[in-house]
Amino acid sequence: MSATRPDRADTEGAGGRTSEPGTTPASGTPSDPGSDGAALHRPAGGRLKDGVDRFRTLLRSIARSWRRSLQFRTVVATMLLTSVSFVAVGGFLSNQIASALYDERFDQFSAEARSALTSTKAVFRDSSATDRDTTSRLVFDSVNALVGSRTNAPRQAMLVPITAGEGLFIPTTVSQDGATAGMFPDDLQQAVAAGQDVYWAPITIPVTENGEPDAPGIAFGTQVQLPPERSPYALYVYYDLSSMQATLDSIHGVLWLVGVVLLLVIGGVTWYVTRSVVLPVGHAASVSEKLAAGQLQERMEVTGEDEVARLGASFNRMAASLQDQITQLAQLSQMQQRFVSDVSHELRTPLTTVRMAAEVLHDARDEFNPVNKRSAEILFDQVERFQALLADLLEISRFDAGAAVLEAESVDVVQLVQHAIDGARPLAERLGTELSIVSTESRCIVDADGRRIDRILRNLIVNALEHGEARPVEVHIACNPEAVAVAVRDHGIGMTPLEASRVFDRFWRADPARARTTGGSGLGLSIATEDARLHGAWLEAWGLPGEGACFRLTLPRHQGSVLMSSPLALPPGAVRDRTGSAGEPRHGASHEAGDGTREDTGATTRESSATQ
């Protein structure tokens, strides 16, 4: 809020005239009692800077609440916008009040000062004083005659010599103790010394009659000649505006008080209104978090019939519907798992009997005619496939029931790889595929379940042989102090990115019409994924059509540790950049177990959930 009146539009530079003839501002720029240099100056600049500093400090201290509380942001934003509105309205009102308070008084002061100075100037001009005493008494009486006792703006006078010339000299004469010629601006003194008009300028009075220091005021001055030599002197009259400034300050204080009270009231109203909306939303968020955590019985409290109540009722209906559906799905899943487990167990006995009969027929097939001999061989092969499928179903049912237990011990991955290759060697020879190990490691010890790791490796190697199209299959082994990696690389038909993302799904086949050479169950990679999960390991796939495929198993050296990177690129031999990633863009998918930040040193892979 401003403390001064606006500049007058009818003022000119020093030597010019106001709208009233004979009264001229002393400054070189448009000026008035509220101009620069006046004591009636605006306090907005300094206060605004202090307010900005305090506001910045406040913002830093409440940043956390601003980010996390919708109610807090709403209340603060409302109060800030209201504050801006109050400052704008208050500044406008202050400007209007100051203008109304000073414009009329300035015109009155200007007319009074011009009349008084002109009269005193005529007295000096018409005086017949010829000696120092008479002139001194004339000056003293004239200066005292210019003093006014107006309660709202007392007037004082001062006579100041312009030059120290020859002859009679009258020193500075003042009507108020403590006043000096130094309180008049230089431009006013220069204007009076150079012209014969009446000039004015805002001043600061050092001490008023009431003892108030640095009071605002306005001074008017003109040049006079004292008898008998007609020496030039500057005659000033000035008005004390401290009472008017006090009135304006009181008005400002009332405006500030009203603004603060209204701001607090608006803030309180905003807080109450937003609280009635934010509390139900916060309660809904809390209930949602509990529902997500599995507490499906949680519901919102609903009171009233307004929009928030309808929202709560709708939320509760949605939660109830989700609970029913999740319960039904859980029951259906349990029934399916129990059905698979029961059927698998129940099939073991008749399957054993059928297998025994199939073995008898298979052993005696040479005694049959060609048709029966082929039928006995097909029966034996399909019974073996059926038995493998049954074993995989039983294993999957244990994973689904959470009954799978990891029996970890120190094992050598190199030996496990060699054992898996030896087991797959007959299949490789039958397919005409070269199977080899590519590694510089002689020992890679990890804490793992040897049986499960061997099963993973056998699944990966057999899968590579089946889809390798009789091309070489390499098994790469690498290790570092944190992890051990095994990658099985073939150069067969390969996979598309979509196929690589689904290769770990149960019973999924890239080409449903493709026959399985070894009669696999279609659950091998799914079981391998679950085995890797138990170890906190990564099982990842990469492939490109016509370029083959690669499966990489990365194991932590110690149980409980979190994998951060793999010692092998995916696929092995990919060009790495400075970050350890492959230089060429690759496509693939990965199934990970364990928590932690992933930093793949191999080719870029596309992540997919390992949950089956």
Side-chain angles (χ1 to χ4, degrees):
M1 299 180 183
S2 174
T4 61
R5 56 180 294 281
D7 293 341
R8 295 170 56 87
D10 55 355
T11 58
E12 299 178 357
R17 295 181 179 274
T18 65
S19 58
E20 244 183 294
T23 305
T24 307
S27 60
T29 57
S31 178
D32 62 10
S35 303
D36 294 339
L40 301 179
H41 44 130
R42 289 182 172 91
R47 294 181 184 178
L48 182 59
K49 184 178 183 302
D50 294 340
V52 170
D53 293 339
R54 289 193 296 270
F55 180 68
R56 289 176 178 173
T57 302
L58 181 62
L59 280 183
R60 286 192 295 267
S61 65
I62 62 177
R64 179 179 176 85
S65 298
W66 177 268
R67 292 192 303 267
R68 303 190 62 179
S69 175
L70 175 62
Q71 181 179 9
F72 182 80
R73 289 200 302 271
T74 303
V75 172
V76 171
T78 302
M79 295 185 70
L80 288 177
L81 294 176
T82 304
S83 300
V84 172
S85 301
F86 283 167
V87 169
V89 174
F92 175 77
L93 292 178
S94 174
N95 196 20
Q96 295 299 314
I97 292 172
S99 298
L101 187 61
Y102 285 109
D103 283 350
E104 182 180 356
R105 297 298 178 86
F106 176 78
D107 294 338
Q108 181 181 354
F109 294 156
S110 178
E112 290 180 356
R114 179 176 176 276
S115 176
L117 291 174
T118 302
S119 299
T120 304
K121 188 175 184 179
V123 170
F124 289 149
R125 184 180 61 248
D126 298 338
S127 174
S128 58
T130 57
D131 56 16
R132 179 183 181 86
D133 292 339
T134 303
T135 302
S136 297
R137 187 165 49 254
L138 175 64
V139 168
F140 181 79
D141 293 340
S142 299
V143 168
N144 287 331
L146 292 173
V147 175
S149 60
R150 300 168 60 94
T151 56
N152 57 349
R155 186 176 69 187
Q156 303 291 338
M158 180 184 302
L159 181 71
V160 181
I162 296 178
T163 58
E166 298 292 337
L168 182 63
F169 176 77
I170 303 298
T172 299
T173 304
V174 299
S175 62
Q176 180 183 13
D177 295 336
T180 63
M183 67 182 185
F184 300 112
D186 292 339
D187 55 355
L188 176 61
Q189 297 185 34
Q190 294 172 4
V192 171
Q196 298 296 322
D197 210 337
V198 176
Y199 305 93
W200 64 267
I203 63 172
T204 299
I205 303 174
V207 179
T208 65
E209 291 182 349
N210 299 327
E212 181 180 351
D214 297 333
I218 183 172
F220 297 86
T222 188
Q223 185 181 132
V224 297
Q225 286 82 32
L226 295 185
E229 289 90 355
R230 302 301 174 185
S231 300
Y233 284 77
L235 180 62
Y236 301 98
V237 292
Y238 57 92
Y239 293 86
D240 179 5
L241 306 181
S242 57
S243 61
M244 299 172 61
Q245 183 67 50
T247 301
L248 187 59
D249 291 340
S250 299
I251 295 174
H252 289 163
V254 172
L255 291 177
W256 280 111
L257 178 61
V258 172
V260 171
V261 172
L262 286 178
L263 185 63
L264 294 177
V265 171
I266 292 175
V269 172
T270 305
W271 176 84
Y272 177 77
V273 173
T274 54
R275 181 175 180 271
S276 62
V277 176
V278 171
L279 280 182
V281 174
H283 181 53
S286 177
V287 173
S288 299
E289 293 173 355
K290 293 180 180 179
L291 289 174
Q295 302 179 25
L296 301 179
Q297 73 283 355
E298 288 293 327
R299 298 292 185 272
M300 288 184 61
E301 296 180 2
V302 179
T303 56
E305 299 178 357
D306 55 11
E307 292 81 0
V308 176
R310 293 199 297 272
L311 173 63
S314 300
F315 184 91
N316 290 340
R317 288 194 297 271
M318 178 189 68
S321 176
L322 289 176
Q323 182 181 15
D324 293 341
Q325 295 181 21
I326 292 174
T327 302
Q328 293 175 4
L329 291 175
Q331 293 175 353
L332 179 60
S333 177
Q334 292 176 359
M335 291 175 61
Q336 290 175 341
Q337 294 174 11
R338 186 164 54 249
F339 173 78
V340 172
S341 179
D342 293 344
V343 169
S344 301
H345 282 85
E346 292 298 329
L347 287 177
R348 295 184 67 178
T349 300
L351 181 60
T352 302
T353 303
V354 173
R355 177 180 175 81
M356 293 175 60
E359 289 177 351
V360 172
L361 294 175
H362 187 267
D363 292 340
R365 67 184 183 280
D366 293 336
E367 302 175 2
F368 301 154
N369 59 51
V371 175
N372 292 336
K373 179 181 179 180
R374 180 56 181 164
S375 299
E377 291 175 349
I378 293 175
L379 176 63
F380 181 79
D381 292 340
Q382 294 303 315
V383 167
E384 281 192 341
R385 180 181 175 187
F386 191 12
Q387 190 172 22
L389 174 61
L390 183 60
D392 289 343
L393 287 174
L394 288 172
E395 188 67 23
I396 285 291
S397 66
R398 281 193 289 270
F399 281 119
D400 291 339
V405 178
L406 185 68
E407 298 177 357
E409 58 182 358
S410 295
V411 296
D412 185 1
V413 174
V414 176
Q415 292 183 0
L416 292 177
V417 170
Q418 187 62 55
H419 181 268
I421 288 178
D422 292 341
R425 187 79 65 185
L427 176 61
E429 293 175 352
R430 181 153 52 92
L431 295 174
T433 301
E434 179 184 353
L435 186 59
S436 61
I437 297 178
V438 180
S439 176
T440 59
E441 309 291 343
S442 58
R443 283 171 60 89
C444 292
I445 305 299
V446 297
D447 295 337
D449 188 331
R451 179 180 64 86
R452 297 183 184 278
I453 299 302
D454 181 72
R455 181 164 59 192
I456 295 174
L457 295 175
R458 280 190 290 107
N459 278 322
L460 298 183
I461 293 173
V462 170
N463 184 71
L465 291 173
E466 288 185 350
H467 301 87
E469 296 185 329
R471 296 173 184 173
V473 174
E474 302 98 18
V475 181
H476 299 259
I477 306 174
C479 61
N480 60 28
E482 290 78 27
V484 175
V486 179
V488 181
R489 175 77 161 95
D490 68 73
H491 302 273
I493 59 176
M495 296 182 292
T496 65
L498 177 61
E499 293 170 348
S501 66
R502 300 191 57 192
V503 72
F504 297 101
D505 294 347
R506 297 179 184 181
F507 298 107
W508 183 84
R509 298 169 64 183
D511 183 4
R514 184 187 303 163
R516 290 191 177 95
T517 305
T518 59
S521 64
L523 294 172
L525 291 179
S526 299
I527 295 175
T529 300
E530 298 296 340
D531 285 333
R533 183 191 303 281
L534 289 177
H535 288 83
W538 296 344
L539 183 56
E540 302 157 287
W542 168 91
L544 283 177
E547 296 187 18
C550 181
F551 290 82
R552 182 180 68 181
L553 172 67
T554 306
L555 293 161
R557 295 294 288 263
H558 304 285
Q559 286 298 310
S561 60
V562 178
L563 288 174
M564 303 299 293
S565 62
S566 179
L568 278 175
L570 183 65
V575 180
R576 302 186 184 185
D577 57 21
R578 295 181 180 179
T579 62
S581 300
E584 299 178 2
R586 302 288 183 175
H587 301 282
S590 66
H591 286 250
E592 302 176 24
D595 301 325
T597 304
R598 170 78 186 281
E599 182 183 344
D600 189 0
T601 61
T604 303
T605 60
R606 189 170 62 187
E607 308 296 337
S608 61
S609 173
T611 303
Q612 300 293 335

